[in-house]
């Protein structure tokens, strides 16, 4: 009779790599200084950019205003729910809907200030391509929104 030795499967985390929690904590510790600097820089930029004065800087819906709105939104990143208030204030100040849509879309999706932290976590190529694509799509979405409103009879 042959005796068989019971083969036990390897335990998770017993290989050459550290356990996932350890790797995650190390990655977070590596990102923490960059995240802290990014949050401080975002706060300084938001304090420096007068959101109430945006209506004076941004005019109607000419292409330069739309691009300027998208660029300003990409620098002054913000929370989506605050976009409703900002959009209402800008609309009351006479800013066009295309410009407001481009600004708020880029405000939520593009992160020029957060770019170093995103690049550290996901790679420079991915971070740059994602941010540039979101900036272009914010402008396109502004025009598509206006076209949609016109087709629906609301523009």
């Amino acid at each position: 009779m042959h005796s068989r030795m019971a083969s036990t499967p390897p335990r998770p985390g017993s290989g050459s790599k550290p356990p996932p929690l350890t790797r995650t904590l190390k990655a977070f510790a590596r990102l923490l200084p960059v995240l802290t600097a990014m949050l401080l820089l975002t706060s300084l930029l938001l304090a420096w950019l007068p959101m109430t004065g945006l209506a004076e800087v941004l005019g109607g819906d000419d292409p330069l205003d739309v691009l300027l709105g998208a660029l300003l939104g990409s620098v002054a990143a913000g929370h989506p729910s605050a976009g409703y208030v900002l959009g209402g204030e800008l609309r009351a100040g006479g800013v066009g809907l295309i410009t407001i849509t481009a600004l708020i879309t880029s405000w939520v999706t593009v992160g020029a200030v957060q770019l170093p932290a995103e690049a550290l976590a996901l790679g420079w190529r991915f971070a740059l391509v994602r941010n540039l694509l979101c900036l272009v799509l914010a402008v396109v979405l502004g025009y598509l929104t206006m076209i949609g409103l016109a087709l629906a009879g609301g523009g």
Side-chain angles (χ1 to χ4, degrees):
M1 292 188 146
H2 290 118
S3 68
R4 291 187 178 180
M5 295 182 77
S7 147
T8 59
R11 290 186 347 207
S14 64
S16 63
K17 289 198 277 186
L21 180 61
T22 304
R23 290 192 316 247
T24 302
L25 289 175
K26 284 182 181 179
F28 181 73
R30 192 180 77 226
L31 282 173
L32 193 59
V34 177
L35 289 173
T36 303
M38 180 229 16
L39 289 172
L40 289 172
L41 186 57
T42 302
S43 298
L44 285 172
L45 281 172
L46 287 176
W48 178 71
L49 283 173
M51 291 295 172
T52 56
L54 280 179
E56 296 170 9
V57 174
L58 301 172
D61 278 333
D62 64 51
L64 187 61
D65 288 334
V66 175
L67 183 61
L68 182 62
L71 289 172
L72 283 173
S74 69
V75 172
H79 194 271
S81 61
Y84 293 109
V85 176
L86 178 62
E89 292 297 318
L90 291 174
R91 190 66 186 137
V95 178
L97 288 176
I98 300 172
T99 303
I100 293 171
T101 304
L103 185 141
I104 291 176
T105 303
S106 67
W107 189 39
V108 173
T109 60
V110 182
V113 176
Q114 296 92 336
L115 186 62
E118 183 178 349
L120 185 61
L122 303 171
W124 277 103
R125 182 170 182 240
F126 176 83
L128 286 172
V129 168
R130 189 199 69 77
N131 278 281
L132 287 173
L133 188 61
C134 286
L135 182 65
V136 168
L137 290 176
V139 172
V140 170
L141 184 65
Y143 284 103
L144 287 176
T145 300
M146 200 60 188
I147 291 169
L149 283 173
L151 289 174

